[in-house]
Amino acid sequence: MVQDLLVGKSYEVQTKDFHRSFVGKITDVTKENILVEIEHLSLVDSEMFKMNSLIKVDRFDIKRQLEDDYFFS
């Protein structure tokens, strides 16, 4: 799965630190880490995390790639 991830593309991500899934753009992929920039997140998570923040995620946290015209509610 890690080799399939594309830097610059948006993905649906769900980590244990977030109540709900969020949309993040992958900025870097290594064997150890995946660095994601938060693009959209739920209001419930916005108190702890800010838009455009960079976070490290595990490859199992990434659920699916989103199209350029995705809708996130």
Side-chain angles (χ1 to χ4, degrees), residues 30-44:
T30 65
K31 288 184 180 182
E32 297 82 28
N33 294 310
I34 300 167
L35 196 59
V36 175
E37 178 183 357
I38 299 172
E39 293 183 306
H40 299 283
L41 71 160
S42 170
L43 185 60
V44 70

Side-chain angles (χ1 to χ4, degrees), residues 60-71:
F60 298 110
D61 295 333
I62 298 177
K63 303 306 177 195
R64 64 186 174 103
Q65 182 178 356
L66 300 174
E67 301 297 324
D68 291 334
D69 59 348
Y70 65 87
F71 175 77

Side-chain angles (χ1 to χ4, degrees), residues 2-63:
V2 173
Q3 63 272 18
D4 296 338
L5 299 176
L6 300 172
V7 172
K9 293 293 184 177
S10 297
Y11 291 83
E12 179 182 359
V13 182
Q14 175 67 57
T15 72
K16 61 180 174 59
D17 299 326
F18 286 75
H19 290 92
R20 299 211 170 107
S21 61
F22 66 92
V23 174
K25 179 170 49 175
I26 294 185
T27 60
D28 189 34
V29 177
T30 65
K31 288 184 180 182
E32 297 82 28
N33 294 310
I34 300 167
L35 196 59
V36 175
E37 178 183 357
I38 299 172
E39 293 183 306
H40 299 283
L41 71 160
S42 170
L43 185 60
V44 70
D45 291 315
S46 65
E47 292 181 15
M48 293 196 56
F49 300 95
K50 302 296 178 205
M51 297 288 289
N52 302 327
S53 296
L54 294 175
I55 62 166
K56 290 181 194 175
V57 300
D58 188 70
R59 63 187 177 102
F60 298 110
D61 295 333
I62 298 177
K63 303 306 177 195

